[in-house]
């Protein structure tokens, strides 16, 4: 075999080898895609808010999430602690609260943990999931209404938030209404949005803005309050179209 023929054969073999590697990297479940599969995880800390006088109601787990409409680290409530990126048939085992007198926890199936706050304080929650150990610190706090005035048009809903950070109004508004929010002493407003849709108020607005309420234009009025001293954030939500007027 001549030298030129050997070189052509070597080049052809190398080309076939590189093509095989490229094809394998493009197959489902192989290459970078398989390596990038997200693993189960949980936040390092949560705040569990005890709603005042809300008997029979689930506690609110306050968590952070990015909201492009607020252009800020948004805060919202959930009723359970959930594991991100759960695995099929994954189970929570060896679930324990370091201070059951502050917080009790129970597994409710799948990647969910149900907290039951007993009194203000901190408790470390540990468990195993998908063969790995996890832990998070839960701070239990009593809910505090941070607003002095929560006006939409002529109606002031401030006292409606004394029991819960969420209040539902049965009937939708009509015409134009001025949204005017006043925080209590020691608090400030860091986010205000009003609108409709799944984003609980998809349009960021300035305080004392007049908006149209017609055609279900405003379904949510959400406000983020921040304590000037402690840095605590409390989100309040007034929503329209509830089955009946009241806290949820």
């Amino acid at each position: 075999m001549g030298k030129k023929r050997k070189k052509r054969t070597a080049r052809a073999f190398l080309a076939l080898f590189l093509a095989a590697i490229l094809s394998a990297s493009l197959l489902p479940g192989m290459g970078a895609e398989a390596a990038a599969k997200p693993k189960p995880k949980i936040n390092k800390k949560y705040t569990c808010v005890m709603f005042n006088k809300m008997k029979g109601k689930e506690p609110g787990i306050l968590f952070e999430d990015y909201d492009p409409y607020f252009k800020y680290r948004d805060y919202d409530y959930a009723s359970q602690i959930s594991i991100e990126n759960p695995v099929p048939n994954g189970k929570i085992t060896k679930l324990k609260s370091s201070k059951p007198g502050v917080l009790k926890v129970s597994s409710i199936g799948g990647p969910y943990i149900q907290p039951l706050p007993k009194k203000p304080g901190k408790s470390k929650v540990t468990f195993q999931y998908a063969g790995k150990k996890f832990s998070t610190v839960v701070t239990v706090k009593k809910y505090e209404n941070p607003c002095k005035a929560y006006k939409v048009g002529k109606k002031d809903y401030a006292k409606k938030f004394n029991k819960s950070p969420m209040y539902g109004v049965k009937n939708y508004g009509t015409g134009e209404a001025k949204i005017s929010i006043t925080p209590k002493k020691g608090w400030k407003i860091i986010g205000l949005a009003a609108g409709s849709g799944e984003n609980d108020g998809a349009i960021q607005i300035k305080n004392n803005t007049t908006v149209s309420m017609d055609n279900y234009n405003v379904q949510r009025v959400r406000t983020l309050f921040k304590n000037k001293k402690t840095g605590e954030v409390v989100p309040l939500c007034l929503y329209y179209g509830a089955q009946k007027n009241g806290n949820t």
Side-chain angles (χ1 to χ4, degrees):
M1 183 182 292
K3 292 184 179 180
K4 291 184 178 179
R5 186 176 179 184
K6 288 182 178 179
K7 289 182 180 180
R8 288 197 297 270
T9 303
R11 286 197 295 268
F13 177 78
L14 180 60
L16 288 171
F17 179 72
L18 293 175
I21 293 177
L22 179 60
S23 298
S25 66
L26 296 176
L27 289 174
M30 298 185 67
E33 289 185 5
K37 188 176 181 179
K39 297 180 180 180
K41 65 177 182 178
I42 192 171
N43 290 351
K44 295 297 183 181
K45 61 181 180 179
Y46 293 88
T47 299
C48 185
V49 182
M50 299 175 66
F51 297 165
N52 296 335
K53 300 179 181 179
M54 294 293 287
K55 294 181 179 180
K57 296 290 184 179
E58 295 177 329
I61 299 297
L62 191 63
F63 65 91
E64 292 185 53
D65 191 15
Y66 181 71
D67 187 334
Y69 299 102
F70 274 126
K71 298 179 181 179
Y72 185 82
R73 293 295 298 180
D74 188 20
Y75 295 73
D76 209 346
Y77 291 104
S79 57
Q80 294 97 23
I81 295 174
S82 60
I83 300 171
E84 295 182 45
N85 309 320
V87 299
N89 302 317
K91 293 183 180 181
I92 293 174
T93 60
K94 298 183 180 180
L95 178 61
K96 182 180 178 181
S97 170
S98 64
K99 295 183 180 179
V102 172
L103 180 78
K104 287 186 176 182
V105 289
S106 61
S107 175
I108 55 176
Y112 303 106
I113 296 173
Q114 179 64 64
L116 179 61
K118 307 299 289 185
K119 65 178 181 180
K122 288 187 178 182
S123 179
K124 184 177 181 179
V125 176
T126 56
F127 61 94
Q128 288 188 13
Y129 180 79
K132 294 185 177 182
K133 295 181 179 180
F134 293 85
S135 67
T136 185
V137 175
V138 180
T139 300
V140 178
K141 293 183 177 181
K142 285 189 175 181
Y143 166 72
E144 177 184 354
N145 182 0
C147 74
K148 182 179 180 180
Y150 207 97
K151 294 182 178 180
V152 179
K154 297 180 180 180
K155 180 71 174 180
D156 188 353
Y157 295 93
K159 292 183 179 180
K160 303 297 184 182
F161 293 108
N162 286 341
K163 294 182 179 181
S164 168
M166 292 160 279
Y167 184 80
V169 179
K170 184 176 181 180
N171 298 321
Y172 286 93
T174 57
E176 292 188 338
K178 182 179 180 181
I179 298 177
S180 181
I181 316 295
T182 304
K184 288 182 178 178
K185 185 177 179 180
W187 294 83
K188 65 179 180 179
I189 297 173
I190 60 173
L192 175 60
S196 61
E198 296 179 355
N199 293 300
D200 291 343
I203 303 173
Q204 185 181 11
I205 65 171
K206 292 183 178 181
N207 203 3
N208 300 308
T209 295
T210 298
V211 298
S212 172
M213 305 289 286
D214 290 330
N215 300 318
Y216 313 113
N217 187 53
V218 174
Q219 297 180 19
R220 305 283 192 275
V221 178
R222 295 196 64 231
T223 311
L224 299 180
F225 296 83
K226 187 173 184 178
N227 189 290
K228 295 179 181 179
K229 184 177 180 180
T230 66
E232 178 185 0
V233 174
V234 174
L236 300 187
C237 179
L238 175 72
Y239 66 95
Y240 294 84
Q243 292 184 353
K244 62 178 181 179
N245 294 338
N247 296 105
T248 56

